[in-house]
Amino acid sequence: MAISDKERALRENDVRQARASTELEGGRTSDEVRAIQDAYARGEIDYDEFGRRTRAYLNLPETS
């Protein structure tokens, strides 16, 4: 999936903010979750797939 430079920048910012929030709380996202975030930021997966992969990694149920 191709995304615009503007969309890529927005996604990269979202990922940076999420990681910063986690770090402010004293944590660090796992390498596996970072890989999912990076794929989303690069436009390799869409928001729905981002959610599916993250929920699967965390062993959370699918949403309907």
Side-chain angles (χ1 to χ4, degrees):
M1 139 184 12
I3 60 173
S4 68
D5 290 341
K6 181 178 180 181
E7 178 65 18
R8 181 175 288 106
L10 290 170
R11 289 180 180 204
E12 288 171 350
N13 186 56
D14 288 345
V15 168
R16 273 194 304 275
Q17 287 184 9
R19 290 177 181 174
S21 176
T22 299
E23 291 169 3
L24 284 171
E25 294 176 7
R28 182 187 182 280
T29 51
S30 68
D31 290 339
E32 292 86 354
V33 170
R34 284 175 175 255
I36 297 167
Q37 291 170 332
D38 290 342
Y40 172 71
R42 289 189 299 266
E44 296 170 7
I45 60 175
D46 64 15
Y47 184 77
D48 291 336
E49 182 63 17
F50 171 77
R52 277 191 290 278
R53 289 184 188 189
T54 302
R55 284 188 302 278
Y57 174 75
L58 296 172
N59 293 315
L60 297 174
E62 285 289 323
T63 59
S64 48

